[in-house]
Amino acid sequence: MHSVNTPTTRTRDGADTDWWREAVIYQIYPRSFADSDGDGIGDLPGIIARLDHLVALGVDALWLSPFYPSPQADAGYDVADYRDVDPIFGRLADADRLITEAHDRGLRVVVDLVPNHTSSAHAWFVEALAAAPGSPARDRYVFRDGRGPGGDEPPNSWRSVFGGPAWTRTDNPDGTPGQWYLHLFDAGQPDLNWDSKQVRDEFVEILRFWLDRGVDGFRVDVAHGLVKQADLADWHYPEETTSGGHVEQPRPPMWDQDGVHEIYRQWRTVLDAYPGARILVAEAWVQPAERLAAYVRPDEMHQAFNFEYLEAAWSAEAQRTVIGRSLAAADAVGAPTTWVLSNHDVLRHATRLALPVGAPRPRGIGTDDPQPDTALGLRRARAATLLMLALPGSAYLYQGEELGLPEHTTLPDEVRQDPTWLRSGHTERGRDGCRVPIPWEADSPSYGFGPTDASWLPQPPIWAEYALDRQRDVPGSTYEMYRTALRLRHEHGLGRGGLRWMESPDDVLAFRIGSGTDTGAETGGEVIVVTNLSAGPVALPPGTELVHASGPLTATGQVPTDVTAWARRRAR
Ligand code: TEU
């Protein structure tokens, strides 16, 4: 069994079979990365044209959010055809070219797989609606009769993650009211029935379809949701639908059922039959860390997103606890830990970390909400990033965070597209603010996102300040901070070192990390990481010198509040 302290094994031909154990993986949200044709929606040719950015940044792999044919009821997480590319993003040939061009640059490619639900426009669901109750076509989904007189009430009490009931009633072919179908998300995302052998067989074929095209792995959407408790029992903690299990409550009947693991064991055998190391990454909102670790046992998935880390408060105690617990839980099953601060579902961390510690975390922020302190958020985000990139295991970056992008917190409500806004009856603003197309060039139309001014969500004027061309080669810019961090992380083997905590004041995190082997004064060697979450400056440990920092040190060389410093032992 592997341990996080086991160095990466490289095969003799140079192929890195364990690349994923310490990989930095960059999430591309195709709608918002780069638009080649000027329609205001990003696309695969746009991504290809910008691949060199990822090389310059220094990441190992990219993960693409869904680009498959879809009515876009949930920005592509409603898949109508798992084996093609939506015309708004390009053609299947573009996906092939993207994989090849990424590989040519030494970048691995992970695609998104959405197995919990299809789109309501998927051929299977169209067939199911036309078929009779109890028919094999309906058995691929979760159809039930309603409760109450005339079956007018939903079959159970479950709520959709986006708000409203998790059930929608169908019409019979003759127009009379019919059965209800389950959708844990939008009504346009009917849940599949994973007891169906056809469903299981189909997804194995979908895996092979993309593996044959050369992808290096799959990010598995809602990996904790596929199997439901057989009796579909009522559930009386509605808020629980938005997460994957609270420690204090019984396990919800729709999340983290033991039956999901058999599915991933089967998928693992499918992946292992392919050459190279192809990976499965669980998107599973499951806590505590020990239950999440079950998804990454040696015969299941390779990684699981560490949302407990993402959600941890910006305090030394919370950070120290979550780091320790995450490492222990993953190490117990021989998996690498993962770290993530931002993605397309949460407030960008440059904004989130400015919110008061312990305050409820909104899914989105609007014009009439209190506006977070952008400077404080960025300062903490940079400190958090430099802490994260020093931790052992694999790290996920979300497009635009390398520019220090904040959430767009003043989007007009009329332009919001996240189904959450509508389904919550306009009480939850939803996730549009982290999905705004990113800025490349300050003085170009749509800040270089595309050749025209079009942008499917409006970009705020402050985007000019964050544009890549305003940060490239600018010492101290967020972009250069990321680049240097990724280079040093690689040179010092930070992703694969064992973490050793050091004595430090309560509100300061300090640890040693890295290969520790003597690979020369300029490259390699142990790094000492200090993150100051206390109110005043702290000194670097004696006998060390600064290598990198998330912000300037004080005039006397101390680490100020909300700054992370990387140091090394001073050469004698
Ligand atoms: O998200 C699953 C999910 O449950 C959480 O991300 C979260 O509850 C949600 O974002 C509400 O804030 C995945 C995808 O990442 C997300 O974009 C999709 O909308 C969802 O699945 C449905 O496919």
Side-chain angles (χ1 to χ4, degrees):
M1 193 186 275
H2 294 282
S3 130
V4 287
N5 294 315
T6 309
T8 299
T9 48
R10 280 164 212 275
T11 54
R12 216 173 300 144
D13 62 358
D16 187 346
T17 54
D18 273 356
W19 64 272
W20 46 277
R21 287 185 170 269
E22 58 187 283
V24 176
I25 303 178
Y26 183 100
Q27 179 186 0
I28 291 182
Y29 196 65
R31 300 175 75 83
S32 304
F33 189 70
D35 175 20
S36 73
D37 57 10
D39 66 354
I41 302 179
D43 46 48
L44 302 188
I47 296 169
I48 294 168
R50 294 283 190 186
L51 280 176
D52 287 334
H53 169 62
L54 305 190
V55 176
L57 185 60
V59 300
D60 304 296
L62 53 105
W63 146 41
L64 296 152
S65 279
F67 48 70
Y68 315 107
S70 160
Q72 306 288 323
D74 183 22
Y77 281 94
D78 47 322
V79 180
D81 179 354
Y82 291 83
R83 295 179 178 82
D84 206 347
V85 171
D86 194 290
I88 64 172
F89 297 126
R91 297 175 307 125
L92 190 54
D94 295 318
D96 290 337
R97 196 157 65 83
L98 200 169
I99 295 166
T100 307
E101 297 249 359
H103 285 169
D104 287 349
R105 290 167 174 78
L107 296 166
R108 293 187 153 90
V109 180
V110 172
V111 294
D112 217 306
L113 184 74
V114 187
N116 180 68
H117 43 263
T118 69
S119 161
S120 54
H122 191 284
W124 273 4
F125 194 72
V126 174
E127 190 189 338
L129 285 184
S135 59
R138 287 210 168 177
D139 188 50
R140 297 180 187 125
Y141 294 90
V142 185
F143 279 87
R144 292 287 185 279
D145 293 332
R147 295 203 281 208
D152 289 343
E153 299 293 323
N156 73 18
S157 68
W158 296 5
R159 311 279 299 167
S160 153
V161 172
F162 298 152
W167 296 89
T168 291
R169 194 164 197 184
T170 63
D171 288 329
N172 289 320
D174 67 3
T176 57
Q179 286 191 303
W180 300 69
Y181 68 90
L182 176 70
H183 53 86
L184 292 178
F185 295 89
D186 190 65
Q189 295 167 297
D191 279 54
L192 285 163
N193 168 22
W194 276 86
D195 289 334
S196 156
K197 186 172 177 322
Q198 275 191 42
V199 168
R200 292 194 183 221
D201 292 349
E202 173 69 359
F203 273 85
V204 166
E205 291 312 313
I206 293 166
L207 289 174
R208 292 200 176 116
F209 178 85
W210 290 103
L211 290 166
D212 288 340
R213 307 193 98 81
V215 303
D216 300 283
F218 301 89
R219 175 267 190 192
V220 181
D221 190 63
V222 200
H224 61 315
L226 276 52
V227 173
K228 280 79 180 175
Q229 194 172 294
D231 60 1
L232 302 183
D234 275 343
W235 177 249
H236 298 291
Y237 305 89
E239 73 281 7
E240 191 59 16
T241 325
T242 60
S243 139
H246 269 289
V247 188
E248 321 80 56
Q249 293 171 5
R251 200 156 56 246
M254 69 292 277
W255 304 126
D256 195 26
Q257 301 295 304
D258 292 336
V260 295
H261 295 289
E262 185 186 315
I263 298 168
Y264 305 133
R265 279 195 285 270
Q266 185 192 9
W267 291 6
R268 180 63 180 257
T269 63
V270 174
L271 265 70
D272 283 351
Y274 280 80
R278 321 277 180 120
I279 66 164
L280 293 166
V281 186
E283 191 237 7
W285 292 79
V286 169
Q287 290 180 19
E290 294 73 33
R291 273 209 75 90
L292 184 63
Y295 288 74
V296 289
R297 287 175 288 193
D299 59 345
E300 294 195 33
M301 301 218 196
H302 299 73
Q303 296 183 340
F305 290 117
N306 187 350
F307 293 127
E308 200 173 341
Y309 175 71
L310 184 151
E311 290 180 332
W314 186 240
S315 77
E317 193 199 347
Q319 296 288 322
R320 193 181 285 119
T321 305
V322 72
I323 291 168
R325 205 166 41 215
S326 307
L327 289 171
D331 214 13
V333 291
T337 318
T338 67
W339 313 100
V340 59
L341 288 166
S342 281
N343 64 35
H344 66 293
D345 288 332
V346 299
L347 291 181
R348 282 184 175 276
H349 66 286
T351 295
R352 191 178 70 235
L353 292 173
L355 300 178
V357 170
R361 212 155 295 131
R363 287 198 210 172
I365 294 177
T367 30
D368 53 2
D369 291 319
Q371 294 294 307
D373 178 339
T374 316
L376 177 68
L378 180 58
R379 181 181 179 82
R380 288 185 177 165
R382 291 172 53 129
T385 295
L386 225 50
L387 168 59
M388 173 176 87
L389 290 177
L391 294 171
S394 174
Y396 280 81
L397 306 180
Y398 176 50
Q399 65 179 40
E401 69 167 84
E402 76 277 26
L403 306 174
L405 282 192
E407 185 85 0
H408 189 342
T409 55
T410 54
L411 268 178
D413 289 339
E414 314 81 77
V415 304
R416 292 192 177 276
Q417 305 211 11
D418 182 353
T420 304
W421 178 233
L422 194 69
R423 288 194 61 88
S424 69
H426 294 175
T427 57
E428 288 262 22
R429 284 223 155 73
R431 303 160 290 175
D432 298 298
C434 63
R435 299 175 174 181
V436 175
I438 63 170
W440 299 88
E441 291 123 27
D443 300 319
S444 297
S446 61
Y447 306 106
F449 166 60
T452 66
D453 272 326
S455 173
W456 70 280
L457 287 171
Q459 300 164 296
I462 50 158
W463 254 211
E465 292 165 34
Y466 294 90
L468 177 64
D469 70 346
R470 289 276 175 92
Q471 301 196 39
R472 195 186 278 130
D473 299 325
V474 176
S477 71
T478 303
Y479 169 70
E480 292 298 341
M481 183 200 85
Y482 269 79
R483 245 163 65 86
T484 303
L486 290 169
R487 178 175 55 76
L488 291 171
R489 177 184 157 91
H490 185 71
E491 288 174 6
H492 291 266
L494 302 188
R496 68 187 110 110
L499 178 153
R500 283 93 58 193
W501 291 108
M502 297 169 73
E503 269 314 293
S504 65
D506 276 357
D507 288 345
V508 176
L509 302 178
F511 58 86
R512 301 183 294 141
I513 180 85
S515 54
T517 55
D518 191 13
T519 47
E522 289 310 312
T523 62
E526 186 177 80
V527 170
I528 292 127
V529 179
V530 176
T531 299
N532 184 4
L533 295 113
S534 75
V538 293
L540 286 172
T544 65
E545 62 187 3
L546 191 71
V547 177
H548 193 29
S550 66
L553 300 195
T554 66
T556 56
Q558 296 200 309
V559 184
T561 304
D562 291 332
V563 167
T564 294
W566 291 4
R568 67 176 166 206
R569 302 245 165 256
R570 205 174 278 135
R572 260 172 269 160

